[in-house]
Amino acid sequence: MSPKPLDYESLNENVKKVAYAVRGELYLRASELQKEGKKIIFTNVGNPHALGQKPLTFPRQVVALCQAPFLLDDPHVGILFPADAIARAKHYLSLTSGGLGAYSDSRGLPGIRKEVAEFIERRDGYPSDPELIYLTDGASKGVMQILNTVIRNEKDGILVPVPQYPLYSAAISLFGGSLVPYYLEEEANWGLDINHLRQSVAAARMKGITVRAMVIINPGNPTGQCLSEANLNGLLKFCFQENLVLLADEVYQQNIYQDERPFISARKILLDMGPPMSKEVQLVSFHTVSKGYWGECGQRGGYFEMTNIPAKTVDEIYKVASVSLSPNVPGQIFMGLMVNPLKPGDISYLRFVAESTAILESLKRRAHIMTDGFNSCRNVVCNFTEGAMYSFPQIRLPPRAIEAAKSAGKAPDVFYCLKLLEATGISTVPGSGFGQKEGVFHLRTTILPAEEDMPAIMTSFKKFNDEFMEQYEDYRGYSRM
Amino acid sequence: MSPKPLDYESLNENVKKVAYAVRGELYLRASELQKEGKKIIFTNVGNPHALGQKPLTFPRQVVALCQAPFLLDDPHVGILFPADAIARAKHYLSLTSGGLGAYSDSRGLPGIRKEVAEFIERRDGYPSDPELIYLTDGASKGVMQILNTVIRNEKDGILVPVPQYPLYSAAISLFGGSLVPYYLEEEANWGLDINHLRQSVAAARMKGITVRAMVIINPGNPTGQCLSEANLNGLLKFCFQENLVLLADEVYQQNIYQDERPFISARKILLDMGPPMSKEVQLVSFHTVSKGYWGECGQRGGYFEMTNIPAKTVDEIYKVASVSLSPNVPGQIFMGLMVNPLKPGDISYLRFVAESTAILESLKRRAHIMTDGFNSCRNVVCNFTEGAMYSFPQIRLPPRAIEAAKSAGKAPDVFYCLKLLEATGISTVPGSGFGQKEGVFHLRTTILPAEEDMPAIMTSFKKFNDEFMEQYEDYRGYSRM
């Protein structure tokens, strides 16, 4: 009998090709162990609230009031809600046509897109047009929509950093394009080398691939670096010369843990360059409410901003966005709150600042505890997490560990991470899920476990790692490189 | 100079092919007129809250508390919230791991999927497995994911009713498949004729198309009919014989305005049939919080349930869902509330019943006012809206109106609907956006304008229509067929 339409053998091949390591084998095994009663420390996804981070009070008050607008007419509302939250809820409700239960325009509420444009202008020093800002259900949905617009067939190539966040490889597979890797330089603090970029493009062209877009993730995921101004400048020139649209994943722009290299948006650098480049290079930039000190992942709020994209294309993107009607409205309001925060003098201002500073300062300390912890381990080296939410230590596996992995039918880093999970409950993602240079192994953890748990986690990691290395280093001794 | 990657001429052709009438030319023109100060009655989208429908109080109280969990510790919470809303908020928060700000499992929260399964079991009389229920950001996202899984290339055909809700044609274009139309029979109350279905499949096969799936929308959009048990039985047998997966869009299952043909799910009919069919026919059923008497469109909550889909495929669908991490969590909680409503004896029960009954009863009255109003107009005939939220009158355009449309460079129904919009502010969708038999014209309106406004709207419509007909009927007289 012939297979049925939804039997595995008759599915869309692009669907089957998708790989998504962040919730892959390690995550599934961790979920199993959790069901069996083992305590699991989930560091596989940047999901701060799941690891105990408390939501910021003010935005939650505002959105709660928007969900229950009848409270605004209740004479007792002031007992539970401060006046500025009440005022802000009224403001956002006035931007909707029918409250949170009505579909918005498919691009998002015009009033919130205006607030986003004002935020971008304050950040970059250049005006931004709300008509070129589309709100989305989290940044991932925006990235997917743009990739779907760019990719025509398997001969269209997208330059993606390696290591990369696997959203990119997954979406490129799903839409039937080709991923063209460019390697980040671990020794140069995960910066990028324009000559290598050029070689990647040349190699792709030799295979008949038209490279059409370049992805950057700044601050980096999983690598945690902040790209330098010189790097951004160089890659924008490269996009200009090579006729590439730049997709700038800047979702971690609020997560910066050092002062030497502040976040600078790709858009600011581009506009600083002046014509012809500032008028020519096509750029789409992504942001979200899931990261920063907000961590409101479950709300699914985000936006993308288009620079130098022709009106006809903007219309096409609008049309496709319309097919799924509108991004969720509460998530849009979180986006508004994020880009238009409280100001000095507002009743809730001091509390808001105290809460957000506490989160950011703690993340910064956790970044240090983790990096230092990894660097104290045998055969482990790790760059400092300058930004974002991840630590990406290199694990120098002894040859006998690699052989043992092979016998177990596992990639060496998967083998290591599974052993780590079984021994300690720490659920990480093997570096191979993000792309790796040949013969080099990493793992990714978030820096999100509660600060008070962090020393114990790093002690537990070190104990596992050092015993693992002991076990697999041969008797001749395996010297740390 | 060669076009840039996001110039119109170099976009993905499938993106360009997408057509989406619900927010097409008429909607854009209506938005323009609104900006110019004209009062517009938006009946183009089933968006109840935008037309004044109030949200149900209890679910909004629960979700507001989930957004502001710190209120649950406030001794004054009982002043603003009833005890059952507080209890329910605690229940849903206990199902999350980290509240609304944490990503859930990519399939949705297990506890809510269990509540959905229990609802389906109560509705159909057969147990349902939570592992085969995936929560989504509204039903549209689920439909798109399943179509993306089924469609491999342009030779894969999807049977879609005509007239249809244009989500289907749009998504099939986007994923590069072929739409295979089957016509609903206006004279048979928009039922379907299995012989015609067979002819559609045969005609598609002649063109080399492999028909893989069949879509039904029950209750119908835009056509408002409830499919009979005999119709459902026949089409399920047809799917069995022809090896088609059935996609059952059942988002209007709570919107029923007559007693002769209650809603029956495709799943119940399938399981009633017994083996081999009940074990063989692949079925995916869709539901949402956007419709019913909830109308919570902006929250974007929905689910799909899979029947007879092999585990390996279920895993693939999980994997692809993981790429965008998780559906929004507040929308999941609305889904939970919808499938697990209050029970007699609960503090808020009577209020909840009063609110929901008032909405449903009013919708029923509006369905009558609209149908009767249309049928009182010259050259307009309209089936009764048995279910869903739409009225789909046939407009019998005189030949001179068709000529005038041609001269204006418009499709005849678009011409009529634009004139209607300019004259009355009523924003409808031309029937051609849903597919039409050759030479037959309709428009779609929702039945959602406020009940007190309805008589004036229908009077205004009748005045416009009858004058329009007067103007374009030639002197020989154009007799109503």
Side-chain angles (χ1 to χ4, degrees):
Chain A
M1 193 182 152
S2 64
K4 291 179 203 159
L6 281 179
D7 285 354
Y8 182 78
E9 50 270 55
S10 56
L11 302 184
N12 178 351
E13 287 298 326
N14 289 338
V15 163
K16 295 192 214 172
K17 276 182 208 149
V18 168
Y20 195 68
V22 172
R23 298 199 170 187
E25 180 177 358
L26 260 287
Y27 172 72
L28 297 174
R29 180 67 187 133
S31 302
E32 271 174 30
L33 288 171
Q34 190 182 38
K35 271 193 191 163
E36 292 166 15
K38 189 173 175 74
K39 193 183 163 231
I40 302 296
I41 302 147
F42 282 101
T43 70
N44 59 308
V45 181
N47 195 5
H49 293 208
L51 292 171
Q53 183 179 309
K54 290 271 165 295
L56 299 168
T57 306
F58 179 74
R60 290 297 193 97
Q61 288 169 328
V62 173
V63 177
L65 285 167
C66 291
Q67 283 288 10
F70 40 81
L71 293 181
L72 296 169
D73 303 323
D74 190 307
H76 302 299
V77 65
I79 297 173
L80 290 180
F81 294 93
D84 50 2
I86 293 169
R88 194 64 89 88
K90 287 180 180 166
H91 163 68
Y92 284 122
L93 286 173
S94 79
L95 301 182
T96 69
S97 48
L100 304 198
Y103 294 125
S104 70
D105 187 281
S106 306
R107 299 165 293 187
L109 294 164
I112 291 182
R113 291 155 59 212
K114 188 163 158 281
E115 293 188 355
V116 172
E118 290 160 358
F119 154 76
I120 293 172
E121 176 165 359
R122 285 194 308 277
R123 185 194 66 189
D124 294 343
Y126 296 97
S128 164
D129 180 355
E131 296 295 304
L132 301 176
I133 293 165
Y134 283 19
L135 304 181
T136 53
D137 288 306
S140 304
K141 285 280 165 67
V143 167
M144 291 176 83
Q145 208 200 329
I146 299 299
L147 286 173
N148 195 14
T149 308
V150 172
I151 296 170
R152 298 167 301 187
N153 55 55
E154 73 283 0
K155 291 290 176 198
D156 277 352
I158 312 293
L159 271 168
V160 171
V162 171
Q164 55 112 21
Y165 176 55
L167 162 65
Y168 294 95
S169 48
I172 293 166
S173 297
L174 190 61
F175 300 132
S178 290
L179 187 151
V180 179
Y182 67 91
Y183 289 94
L184 299 176
E185 304 303 323
E186 189 164 12
E187 307 69 39
N189 210 27
W190 297 114
L192 54 83
D193 178 327
I194 304 292
N195 288 326
H196 287 184
L197 211 52
R198 226 175 280 285
Q199 286 161 9
S200 295
V201 171
R205 289 204 179 120
M206 293 286 288
K207 293 188 209 154
I209 287 172
T210 311
V211 181
R212 309 238 301 150
M214 173 172 179
V215 172
I216 57 169
I217 309 173
N218 180 36
N221 176 4
T223 41
Q225 84 286 20
C226 292
L227 289 179
S228 68
E229 196 167 337
N231 247 195
L232 284 163
N233 211 296
L235 69 90
L236 279 160
K237 277 189 195 133
F238 179 76
C239 287
F240 178 68
Q241 290 157 359
E242 302 290 341
N243 193 20
L244 307 179
V245 52
L246 182 65
L247 309 185
D249 178 338
E250 299 176 334
V251 298
Y252 297 101
Q253 60 188 270
Q254 285 185 327
N255 296 93
I256 306 295
Y257 310 121
Q258 40 72 45
D259 300 321
E260 304 84 66
R261 256 201 291 272
F263 169 75
I264 314 174
S265 75
R267 179 172 175 276
K268 178 176 165 45
I269 301 280
L270 175 61
L271 298 184
D272 281 350
M273 292 166 106
M277 270 178 285
S278 63
K279 300 277 184 205
E280 295 287 344
V281 176
Q282 297 186 328
L283 167 67
V284 185
S285 308
F286 303 89
H287 200 8
T288 183
V289 303
S290 301
K291 310 300 171 187
Y293 39 88
W294 294 66
E296 291 280 9
C297 303
Q299 313 281 359
R300 313 309 294 122
Y303 76 77
F304 59 87
E305 189 204 15
M306 297 170 274
T307 304
N308 298 324
I309 310 295
K312 266 185 95 170
T313 297
V314 173
D315 287 348
E316 290 295 300
I317 294 171
Y318 184 15
K319 183 185 70 180
V320 172
S322 297
V323 178
S324 35
L325 293 158
S326 85
N328 87 82
V329 179
Q332 298 183 40
I333 292 177
F334 275 103
M335 196 77 238
L337 285 157
M338 183 169 148
V339 295
N340 184 12
L342 287 162
K343 289 175 186 57
D346 291 337
I347 302 164
S348 303
Y349 177 73
L350 289 177
R351 181 178 188 172
F352 180 79
V353 170
E355 288 176 351
S356 45
T357 309
I359 292 168
L360 266 188
E361 289 298 316
S362 170
L363 283 172
K364 188 172 179 174
R365 287 191 298 271
R366 283 180 269 173
H368 281 284
I369 297 170
M370 236 177 191
T371 309
D372 294 347
F374 284 131
N375 282 320
S376 78
C377 294
R378 197 157 163 175
N379 298 345
V380 178
V381 285
C382 187
N383 284 334
F384 176 60
T385 299
E386 298 180 334
M389 291 183 171
Y390 308 98
S391 188
F392 197 63
Q394 186 179 147
I395 313 291
R396 294 181 167 160
L397 294 173
R400 280 183 48 219
I402 296 172
E403 282 159 35
K406 204 173 282 177
S407 314
K410 303 281 179 198
D413 55 350
V414 174
F415 178 77
Y416 176 92
C417 290
L418 280 170
K419 293 264 184 205
L420 171 68
L421 172 66
E422 308 272 351
T424 65
I426 304 173
S427 165
T428 60
V429 187
S432 50
F434 305 93
Q436 295 269 273
K437 286 187 177 167
E438 186 64 29
V440 176
F441 306 106
H442 292 79
L443 61 81
R444 187 188 84 167
T445 78
T446 67
I447 59 168
L448 297 174
E451 192 174 345
E452 63 270 27
D453 298 339
M454 204 59 114
I457 291 171
M458 294 315 294
T459 302
S460 157
F461 178 86
K462 181 173 169 61
K463 180 166 179 292
F464 159 78
N465 175 81
D466 291 4
E467 285 174 11
F468 178 96
M469 294 301 171
E470 179 102 8
Q471 182 186 347
Y472 288 104
E473 282 180 355
D474 62 27
Y475 32 84
R476 283 171 295 134
Y478 178 81
S479 63
R480 188 162 169 179
M481 288 161 70
Chain B
M1 194 181 152
S2 64
K4 291 180 203 159
L6 280 179
D7 286 353
Y8 181 78
E9 51 270 56
S10 56
L11 302 183
N12 178 351
E13 287 299 325
N14 289 339
V15 163
K16 295 190 214 172
K17 275 183 211 148
V18 168
Y20 195 69
V22 173
R23 300 201 169 185
E25 181 177 357
L26 260 288
Y27 172 72
L28 296 174
R29 179 71 187 128
S31 303
E32 271 173 31
L33 289 170
Q34 191 183 37
K35 271 194 192 161
E36 293 166 14
K38 191 173 175 72
K39 192 182 164 232
I40 302 296
I41 302 148
F42 281 101
T43 71
N44 58 307
V45 181
N47 194 5
H49 293 208
L51 292 170
Q53 183 179 308
K54 291 271 166 294
L56 300 168
T57 306
F58 178 75
R60 289 298 193 97
Q61 289 169 328
V62 173
V63 176
L65 285 167
C66 290
Q67 282 288 10
F70 38 82
L71 294 181
L72 295 169
D73 302 324
D74 190 307
H76 302 298
V77 65
I79 298 172
L80 290 181
F81 294 92
D84 49 3
I86 293 169
R88 194 67 88 89
K90 286 180 181 167
H91 163 68
Y92 284 123
L93 286 173
S94 80
L95 300 182
T96 69
S97 48
L100 304 197
Y103 294 124
S104 70
D105 187 281
S106 306
R107 298 166 294 187
L109 293 164
I112 291 183
R113 291 155 59 213
K114 188 163 159 279
E115 293 187 354
V116 172
E118 289 160 359
F119 155 76
I120 294 172
E121 175 164 0
R122 286 195 307 277
R123 185 194 66 189
D124 293 344
Y126 296 97
S128 164
D129 180 355
E131 296 296 304
L132 302 176
I133 293 165
Y134 283 19
L135 304 181
T136 53
D137 288 306
S140 303
K141 286 280 164 68
V143 167
M144 292 177 82
Q145 207 201 330
I146 299 299
L147 285 173
N148 194 15
T149 307
V150 171
I151 296 170
R152 298 166 301 186
N153 56 55
E154 72 282 0
K155 292 290 176 199
D156 277 352
I158 312 292
L159 271 168
V160 171
V162 172
Q164 54 113 22
Y165 176 56
L167 161 66
Y168 294 95
S169 48
I172 292 167
S173 297
L174 190 60
F175 302 131
S178 291
L179 187 149
V180 179
Y182 68 91
Y183 290 95
L184 300 176
E185 304 302 323
E186 188 165 12
E187 308 69 39
N189 210 26
W190 297 115
L192 54 84
D193 178 327
I194 305 291
N195 288 325
H196 287 181
L197 210 53
R198 226 175 281 285
Q199 286 161 7
S200 295
V201 170
R205 289 206 179 120
M206 292 285 288
K207 296 188 206 152
I209 287 171
T210 310
V211 182
R212 309 236 303 149
M214 173 173 180
V215 172
I216 58 169
I217 309 175
N218 181 36
N221 175 3
T223 41
Q225 84 286 19
C226 293
L227 289 180
S228 68
E229 195 167 337
N231 248 194
L232 283 164
N233 211 295
L235 70 89
L236 279 161
K237 276 189 195 135
F238 179 76
C239 288
F240 177 68
Q241 289 156 358
E242 302 291 341
N243 193 20
L244 307 178
V245 53
L246 182 66
L247 309 186
D249 178 338
E250 299 176 334
V251 298
Y252 297 101
Q253 61 188 269
Q254 285 185 327
N255 297 94
I256 306 294
Y257 311 122
Q258 40 71 48
D259 299 321
E260 303 84 68
R261 255 201 291 273
F263 168 76
I264 314 174
S265 76
R267 178 173 176 276
K268 176 177 166 45
I269 302 281
L270 175 61
L271 298 185
D272 281 351
M273 292 165 107
M277 270 177 285
S278 62
K279 300 277 184 204
E280 295 287 343
V281 176
Q282 297 186 331
L283 168 67
V284 185
S285 308
F286 302 89
H287 201 7
T288 183
V289 303
S290 301
K291 310 300 172 185
Y293 39 88
W294 294 65
E296 292 280 9
C297 302
Q299 313 281 0
R300 315 308 295 120
Y303 75 77
F304 58 86
E305 188 204 15
M306 298 170 273
T307 305
N308 295 328
I309 310 295
K312 264 186 97 170
T313 297
V314 173
D315 287 347
E316 290 294 301
I317 293 170
Y318 184 16
K319 182 185 70 179
V320 172
S322 299
V323 178
S324 36
L325 293 158
S326 86
N328 87 82
V329 179
Q332 298 182 41
I333 292 176
F334 275 102
M335 195 77 239
L337 285 157
M338 182 169 151
V339 296
N340 184 13
L342 287 162
K343 289 175 187 58
D346 292 337
I347 302 164
S348 303
Y349 176 73
L350 290 177
R351 179 178 189 172
F352 180 80
V353 170
E355 288 176 350
S356 45
T357 309
I359 293 168
L360 266 189
E361 289 298 317
S362 171
L363 283 171
K364 190 172 179 174
R365 287 192 298 271
R366 283 179 269 173
H368 281 284
I369 297 171
M370 233 174 194
T371 309
D372 293 348
F374 284 130
N375 283 320
S376 79
C377 295
R378 198 157 161 175
N379 299 345
V380 178
V381 285
C382 187
N383 284 334
F384 176 60
T385 299
E386 298 181 333
M389 293 184 169
Y390 309 98
S391 188
F392 197 64
Q394 185 179 146
I395 314 292
R396 293 178 168 164
L397 293 174
R400 279 183 49 221
I402 296 172
E403 282 159 33
K406 205 174 278 176
S407 314
K410 303 281 180 200
D413 55 349
V414 174
F415 178 77
Y416 176 93
C417 290
L418 279 170
K419 294 262 184 207
L420 171 67
L421 172 67
E422 308 271 351
T424 64
I426 303 173
S427 165
T428 59
V429 186
S432 51
F434 305 94
Q436 295 270 272
K437 285 187 178 169
E438 186 65 29
V440 176
F441 306 106
H442 292 80
L443 60 81
R444 188 190 82 167
T445 78
T446 67
I447 59 167
L448 297 175
E451 192 172 346
E452 62 269 27
D453 299 338
M454 203 60 113
I457 291 172
M458 295 315 295
T459 302
S460 158
F461 178 86
K462 182 173 170 57
K463 182 166 178 289
F464 159 78
N465 175 79
D466 292 4
E467 286 174 10
F468 178 97
M469 295 300 171
E470 180 102 9
Q471 181 186 348
Y472 288 104
E473 282 180 355
D474 61 28
Y475 33 85
R476 284 171 294 134
Y478 178 83
S479 64
R480 188 160 171 181
M481 292 159 67

